[in-house]
PDB file of all heavy atoms in Angstrom:
ATOM      1  N   LEU Q 321      14.772  -5.350  19.082  1.00 74.00           N
ATOM      2  CA  LEU Q 321      15.818  -4.988  18.088  1.00 74.00           C
ATOM      3  C   LEU Q 321      17.165  -4.615  18.664  1.00 74.00           C
ATOM      4  O   LEU Q 321      18.186  -4.845  18.108  1.00 74.00           O
ATOM      5  CB  LEU Q 321      15.247  -3.826  17.230  1.00 74.00           C
ATOM      6  CG  LEU Q 321      14.451  -4.211  15.977  1.00 74.00           C
ATOM      7  CD1 LEU Q 321      14.036  -2.879  15.293  1.00 74.00           C
ATOM      8  CD2 LEU Q 321      15.231  -5.039  15.015  1.00 74.00           C
ATOM      9  N   GLY Q 322      17.093  -3.986  19.881  1.00 68.00           N
ATOM     10  CA  GLY Q 322      18.344  -3.552  20.472  1.00 68.00           C
ATOM     11  C   GLY Q 322      19.114  -4.638  21.254  1.00 68.00           C
ATOM     12  O   GLY Q 322      20.243  -4.414  21.709  1.00 68.00           O
ATOM     13  N   ALA Q 323      18.438  -5.831  21.391  1.00 68.00           N
ATOM     14  CA  ALA Q 323      19.154  -6.889  22.147  1.00 68.00           C
ATOM     15  C   ALA Q 323      20.455  -7.340  21.491  1.00 68.00           C
ATOM     16  O   ALA Q 323      20.580  -7.444  20.279  1.00 68.00           O
ATOM     17  CB  ALA Q 323      18.210  -8.099  22.212  1.00 68.00           C
ATOM     18  N   GLY Q 324      21.481  -7.517  22.310  1.00 57.00           N
ATOM     19  CA  GLY Q 324      22.764  -7.965  21.819  1.00 57.00           C
ATOM     20  C   GLY Q 324      23.639  -6.880  21.236  1.00 57.00           C
ATOM     21  O   GLY Q 324      24.738  -7.094  20.845  1.00 57.00           O
ATOM     22  N   LEU Q 325      23.096  -5.581  21.190  1.00 55.00           N
ATOM     23  CA  LEU Q 325      23.924  -4.501  20.730  1.00 55.00           C
ATOM     24  C   LEU Q 325      24.391  -3.680  21.890  1.00 55.00           C
ATOM     25  O   LEU Q 325      23.778  -3.644  22.915  1.00 55.00           O
ATOM     26  CB  LEU Q 325      23.105  -3.611  19.761  1.00 55.00           C
ATOM     27  CG  LEU Q 325      22.642  -4.310  18.474  1.00 55.00           C
ATOM     28  CD1 LEU Q 325      21.722  -3.364  17.721  1.00 55.00           C
ATOM     29  CD2 LEU Q 325      23.778  -4.695  17.597  1.00 55.00           C
ATOM     30  N   ASP Q 326      25.455  -2.953  21.697  1.00 51.00           N
ATOM     31  CA  ASP Q 326      25.990  -2.129  22.786  1.00 51.00           C
ATOM     32  C   ASP Q 326      25.353  -0.775  22.770  1.00 51.00           C
ATOM     33  O   ASP Q 326      25.997   0.276  22.936  1.00 51.00           O
ATOM     34  CB  ASP Q 326      27.537  -2.034  22.592  1.00 51.00           C
ATOM     35  CG  ASP Q 326      28.205  -1.404  23.795  1.00 51.00           C
ATOM     36  OD1 ASP Q 326      27.587  -1.452  24.900  1.00 51.00           O
ATOM     37  OD2 ASP Q 326      29.249  -0.812  23.684  1.00 51.00           O
ATOM     38  N   PHE Q 327      24.036  -0.761  22.632  1.00 58.00           N
ATOM     39  CA  PHE Q 327      23.251   0.471  22.668  1.00 58.00           C
ATOM     40  C   PHE Q 327      22.366   0.354  23.895  1.00 58.00           C
ATOM     41  O   PHE Q 327      21.175  -0.069  23.818  1.00 58.00           O
ATOM     42  CB  PHE Q 327      22.402   0.699  21.417  1.00 58.00           C
ATOM     43  CG  PHE Q 327      23.204   0.864  20.168  1.00 58.00           C
ATOM     44  CD1 PHE Q 327      22.631   0.509  18.947  1.00 58.00           C
ATOM     45  CD2 PHE Q 327      24.513   1.346  20.175  1.00 58.00           C
ATOM     46  CE1 PHE Q 327      23.349   0.647  17.759  1.00 58.00           C
ATOM     47  CE2 PHE Q 327      25.250   1.479  19.002  1.00 58.00           C
ATOM     48  CZ  PHE Q 327      24.656   1.139  17.779  1.00 58.00           C
ATOM     49  N   THR Q 328      22.877   0.752  25.060  1.00 60.00           N
ATOM     50  CA  THR Q 328      22.172   0.461  26.339  1.00 60.00           C
ATOM     51  C   THR Q 328      20.817   1.194  26.374  1.00 60.00           C
ATOM     52  O   THR Q 328      19.903   0.760  27.110  1.00 60.00           O
ATOM     53  CB  THR Q 328      23.016   0.857  27.522  1.00 60.00           C
ATOM     54  OG1 THR Q 328      23.427   2.264  27.359  1.00 60.00           O
ATOM     55  CG2 THR Q 328      24.267  -0.022  27.599  1.00 60.00           C
ATOM     56  N   LEU Q 329      20.692   2.322  25.654  1.00 68.00           N
ATOM     57  CA  LEU Q 329      19.392   3.032  25.720  1.00 68.00           C
ATOM     58  C   LEU Q 329      18.291   2.251  24.964  1.00 68.00           C
ATOM     59  O   LEU Q 329      17.116   2.448  25.241  1.00 68.00           O
ATOM     60  CB  LEU Q 329      19.560   4.417  25.072  1.00 68.00           C
ATOM     61  CG  LEU Q 329      20.103   5.532  25.994  1.00 68.00           C
ATOM     62  CD1 LEU Q 329      20.276   6.815  25.203  1.00 68.00           C
ATOM     63  CD2 LEU Q 329      19.172   5.751  27.168  1.00 68.00           C
ATOM     64  N   LEU Q 330      18.684   1.433  23.970  1.00 72.00           N
ATOM     65  CA  LEU Q 330      17.677   0.790  23.127  1.00 72.00           C
ATOM     66  C   LEU Q 330      17.153  -0.502  23.783  1.00 72.00           C
ATOM     67  O   LEU Q 330      17.133  -1.559  23.169  1.00 72.00           O
ATOM     68  CB  LEU Q 330      18.177   0.518  21.763  1.00 72.00           C
ATOM     69  CG  LEU Q 330      18.593   1.780  20.962  1.00 72.00           C
ATOM     70  CD1 LEU Q 330      18.960   1.444  19.529  1.00 72.00           C
ATOM     71  CD2 LEU Q 330      17.440   2.795  20.988  1.00 72.00           C
ATOM     72  N   SER Q 331      16.760  -0.438  25.013  1.00 82.00           N
ATOM     73  CA  SER Q 331      16.252  -1.587  25.706  1.00 82.00           C
ATOM     74  C   SER Q 331      14.761  -1.732  25.408  1.00 82.00           C
ATOM     75  O   SER Q 331      14.117  -0.822  24.918  1.00 82.00           O
ATOM     76  CB  SER Q 331      16.434  -1.413  27.204  1.00 82.00           C
ATOM     77  OG  SER Q 331      15.646  -0.338  27.760  1.00 82.00           O
ATOM     78  N   ARG Q 332      14.245  -2.882  25.706  1.00 87.00           N
ATOM     79  CA  ARG Q 332      12.817  -3.168  25.422  1.00 87.00           C
ATOM     80  C   ARG Q 332      11.873  -2.192  26.108  1.00 87.00           C
ATOM     81  O   ARG Q 332      10.948  -1.716  25.474  1.00 87.00           O
ATOM     82  CB  ARG Q 332      12.519  -4.654  25.800  1.00 87.00           C
ATOM     83  CG  ARG Q 332      11.115  -5.105  25.373  1.00 87.00           C
ATOM     84  CD  ARG Q 332      10.877  -6.548  25.804  1.00 87.00           C
ATOM     85  NE  ARG Q 332       9.604  -6.961  25.418  1.00 87.00           N
ATOM     86  CZ  ARG Q 332       9.311  -7.641  24.287  1.00 87.00           C
ATOM     87  NH1 ARG Q 332      10.269  -7.970  23.460  1.00 87.00           N
ATOM     88  NH2 ARG Q 332       8.045  -8.001  23.970  1.00 87.00           N
TER      89      ARG Q 332
END
Side-chain angles (χ1 to χ4, degrees):
L321 273 179
L325 297 174
D326 191 24
F327 297 154
T328 54
L329 276 177
L330 298 186
S331 66
R332 188 181 179 96

